[in-house]
């Protein structure tokens, strides 16, 4: 069963990575350690650290406004690109894309 | 000024929009469609989050800058358009 789940994850990630404009994808585990990435090491570590911190901040903001609410997604658009963060069970899926269609 | 009002009216009339707040650089709300308590709460918390998001973008790349932030939660979505002097905050219920 672990085998097929892994395949599904791989396929999903490949699908995202093949998407037009996607610059990179990073998965960060519950301890903030990047466990998968398509970017170089130093970039990955930088993104993982900073986005984890920001995501935790965003989550606190959401909960401070309403304790019954929770963060489901974060989109950070900047001049150069867009960072999408999908938090799940303390893991983070980070996708960096160039939204120039 | 009339343009601002018209733009706000247009946003406000969009399906699902729960509220609009404009805050200045200090995080003080200068315009709002919500009640006072909600406005103050949102303004303060979101202002500090946007500042953090902006630092994050700049820490990754000092030549880059934040242009938009979307915070999606179970109950709603908060969108923030930061400008030099103001932030425009829109809270919407993205039930499509």
């Amino acid at each position: 069963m672990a085998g097929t789940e892994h395949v599904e994850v791989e396929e999903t990630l490949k699908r995202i990575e093949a998407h037009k404009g996607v610059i990179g994808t990073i998965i960060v585990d519950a301890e903030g350690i990047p466990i998968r990435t398509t970017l170089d090491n130093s970039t990955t570590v930088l993104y993982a650290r900073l986005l984890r911190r920001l995501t935790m901040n965003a989550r606190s903001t959401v909960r401070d406004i309403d304790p019954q609410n929770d963060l489901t997604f974060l989109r950070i658009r900047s001049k150069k690109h867009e960072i999408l963060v999908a938090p799940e069970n303390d893991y983070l899926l980070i996708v960096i894309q160039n939204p120039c269609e | 000024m009339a343009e601002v009002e018209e733009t706000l009216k247009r946003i406000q009339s969009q399906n699902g929009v729960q509220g609009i707040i404009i805050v200045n650089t200090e995080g003080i709300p200068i315009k709002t469609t919500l009640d006072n308590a909600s406005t103050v709460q949102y303004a303060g918390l979101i202002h500090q989050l946007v500042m953090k998001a902006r630092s994050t973008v700049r820490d990754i790349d000092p030549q880059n800058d934040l242009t938009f932030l979307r915070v999606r939660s179970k109950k709603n979505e908060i969108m923030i358009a930061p400008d030099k002097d103001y932030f425009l905050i829109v809270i919407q219920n993205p039930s499509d």
Side-chain angles (χ1 to χ4, degrees), chain A residues 34-87:
Chain A
I35 56 172
R36 195 203 154 88
T37 180
T38 61
L39 299 169
D40 63 86
N41 200 43
S42 55
T43 307
T44 299
V45 166
L46 181 65
Y47 270 91
R49 180 169 58 86
L50 292 172
L51 290 170
R52 188 157 180 269
R53 204 191 313 155
L54 182 64
T55 304
M56 279 157 69
N57 209 299
R59 185 179 267 146
S60 301
T61 300
V62 168
R63 287 189 178 157
D64 284 347
I65 292 172
D66 177 357
Q68 329 248 258
N69 201 4
D70 201 5
L71 179 73
T72 58
F73 204 78
L74 192 59
R75 281 179 102 117
I76 303 142
R77 178 118 190 205
S78 61
K79 291 194 295 198
K80 297 188 180 184
H81 52 229
E82 186 172 27
I83 304 166
L84 315 163
V85 183

Side-chain angles (χ1 to χ4, degrees), chain B residues 40-57:
Chain B
V40 167
Q41 191 193 31
Y42 270 98
L45 290 167
I46 292 169
H47 180 256
Q48 68 89 21
L49 179 63
V50 172
M51 301 308 273
K52 277 237 79 192
R54 190 178 257 159
S55 307
T56 299
V57 168

Side-chain angles (χ1 to χ4, degrees), chain B residues 36-94:
Chain B
N36 200 42
S38 301
T39 299
V40 167
Q41 191 193 31
Y42 270 98
L45 290 167
I46 292 169
H47 180 256
Q48 68 89 21
L49 179 63
V50 172
M51 301 308 273
K52 277 237 79 192
R54 190 178 257 159
S55 307
T56 299
V57 168
R58 289 188 178 156
D59 285 348
I60 291 173
D61 177 357
Q63 328 247 257
N64 201 4
D65 201 5
L66 181 73
T67 57
F68 203 77
L69 187 63
R70 282 178 102 118
V71 183
R72 178 124 188 193
S73 63
K74 291 193 297 199
K75 296 188 181 184
N76 56 30
E77 184 171 26
I78 305 166
M79 299 176 293
I80 307 113
D83 189 67
K84 192 164 54 78
D85 302 314
Y86 308 99
F87 295 168
L88 171 64
I89 302 166
V90 177
I91 302 126
Q92 75 173 0
N93 201 334

